[in-house]
Amino acid sequence: TNAQYMVPPSAAYRIFKHHVSSTIPLHWHEFYELEFVVSGRGTHVVNGREVPMASGTMYLLTPADFHEIRMAEGEMLTIYNVIFTAEMLKPELVQLLFSRRIQYMTECAGVQYERMRSEYERIWEEFMHPRAGSRIVAEGAIERMLIDLYRACEVPEPHGLTEHNPHSIEEVIRNAMIYIQHRFRDSLTLEQAAASCGLSANYFSECFHRVVGMPFQTYLADTRLEFAKALLGVSQLSVTEVCYASGFNTLAHFERMFKRKYGHTPSRYRRECAAQSHRQALPIH
């Protein structure tokens, strides 16, 4: 949680330099993580997808992601890890990064590697030896790295879309969807989502349904169910733990919604995932 890792509690960011030699178990967090591998090799599992980690690997994790790091025996990773809260992200940056769902991850080499490492080391210096303007320096470095990461991932604009109109209702609802994507595990209400856009609850509900094609509560439930389904497939968490981790308040409601959407219970889905994994692991004769 932010309370555990942001010191002091009013801090908007924090930086760590980790030396990882053993597996970091599956977890998720309230804050954002911007990580950069200085040296070493390992395997990063993000939302159930395995990706190799090596010197120069850089990635962004949001509160909607879950991940783990797996290490081979004898290997060690040195990683810079900047964590920050949503308050660090300007609206323009949120719009740039999260208008579409994408996993931000790239491999830095040469000049790009040196530039990124230099940015992290500057943040580290400002954090360890704070002076006048240290937070401003750190925020500027984080913003530059996020923009460079966005550019490196070469995310094209949708066909025909050259600029955004921040005052259009479609853009307002798109921002609300981003808000939901990063807070769906909380006890999120229609009123809170509407307030994030500066709209009344009734008008927001009407606009959301018209733009997205489904009611707010349906979209929120689907987002939670997608997260729960992925978590069931790759973790050893109990169904009850997955239920609460995904933002549902009661197990009965979660199981009913899951079966309605996917046609079977969470427990049965997990058994099918395990059986499929076992079949794939069998040797071919």
Side-chain angles (χ1 to χ4, degrees):
T1 65
N2 291 338
Q4 290 172 300
Y5 284 90
M6 293 298 176
V7 180
S10 59
Y13 84 96
R14 192 175 179 185
I15 184 169
F16 302 90
K17 190 172 185 179
H18 300 299
H19 300 285
V20 182
S21 58
S22 59
T23 295
I24 297 178
L26 184 75
H27 65 282
W28 55 92
H29 25 70
E30 292 181 332
F31 43 80
Y32 296 78
E33 281 190 347
L34 185 60
E35 300 200 0
F36 179 75
V37 180
V38 178
S39 61
R41 305 184 70 84
T43 300
H44 194 198
V45 187
V46 184
N47 301 329
R49 174 171 165 256
E50 294 188 10
V51 183
M53 300 176 72
S55 177
T57 300
M58 183 178 182
Y59 53 88
L60 172 66
L61 298 168
T62 76
D65 298 311
F66 57 89
H67 68 126
E68 62 182 302
I69 295 176
R70 299 173 183 169
M71 297 299 303
E73 186 175 354
E75 288 283 350
M76 175 177 285
L77 284 164
T78 299
I79 302 174
Y80 271 121
N81 180 16
V82 170
I83 67 174
F84 53 94
T85 64
E87 286 67 35
M88 282 279 288
L89 295 171
K90 294 177 181 177
E92 300 92 333
L93 194 52
V94 171
Q95 187 63 241
L96 181 70
L97 291 169
F98 304 123
S99 292
R100 280 145 286 153
R101 297 189 193 184
I102 180 174
Q103 183 63 61
Y104 286 105
M105 186 175 300
T106 191
E107 303 295 329
C108 303
V111 173
Q112 187 184 31
Y113 172 90
E114 295 301 331
R115 181 169 66 246
M116 291 300 182
R117 181 169 181 170
S118 176
E119 295 279 27
Y120 275 96
E121 290 176 347
R122 179 68 186 275
I123 298 171
W124 178 264
E125 176 66 22
E126 296 291 341
F127 183 80
M128 297 300 293
H129 306 286
R131 293 167 287 173
S134 284
R135 172 169 170 161
I136 298 173
V137 171
E139 288 179 351
I142 292 170
E143 288 181 352
R144 287 193 299 272
M145 291 190 295
L146 287 170
I147 292 171
D148 284 347
L149 181 59
Y150 173 88
R151 291 173 175 174
C153 291
E154 298 182 347
V155 184
E157 288 285 2
H159 179 69
L161 180 61
T162 56
E163 64 180 52
H164 302 298
N165 176 6
H167 302 296
S168 71
I169 195 62
E170 289 80 9
E171 197 70 13
V172 169
I173 297 303
R174 189 196 316 210
N175 288 335
M177 294 170 70
I178 295 171
Y179 181 87
I180 295 165
Q181 281 294 323
H182 293 180
R183 293 169 176 83
F184 66 86
R185 292 200 305 268
D186 300 334
S187 298
L188 189 60
T189 65
L190 172 68
E191 289 73 19
Q192 288 172 324
S196 76
C197 305
L199 301 178
S200 70
N202 288 338
Y203 183 58
F204 171 80
S205 179
E206 175 189 333
C207 293
F208 191 94
H209 196 166
R210 173 161 49 84
V211 172
V212 181
M214 66 178 74
F216 165 80
Q217 291 295 349
T218 302
Y219 181 82
L220 177 59
D222 281 356
T223 302
R224 289 169 171 167
L225 288 168
E226 288 174 11
F227 182 86
K229 184 181 178 183
L231 202 53
L232 285 166
V234 300
S235 77
Q236 299 301 313
L237 295 174
S238 69
V239 172
T240 300
E241 288 173 315
V242 170
C243 163
Y244 293 120
S246 304
F248 291 94
N249 292 326
T250 68
L251 181 60
H253 177 63
F254 167 59
E255 291 181 328
R256 185 169 60 253
M257 296 291 289
F258 193 96
K259 186 173 183 179
R260 181 185 301 171
K261 182 172 178 64
Y262 299 114
H264 39 64
T265 65
S267 297
R268 180 179 171 186
Y269 174 75
R270 168 164 278 170
R271 288 196 297 270
E272 290 180 354
C273 287
Q276 182 179 5
S277 178
H278 176 71
R279 287 193 297 269
Q280 292 175 343
L282 290 175
I284 299 175
H285 298 289

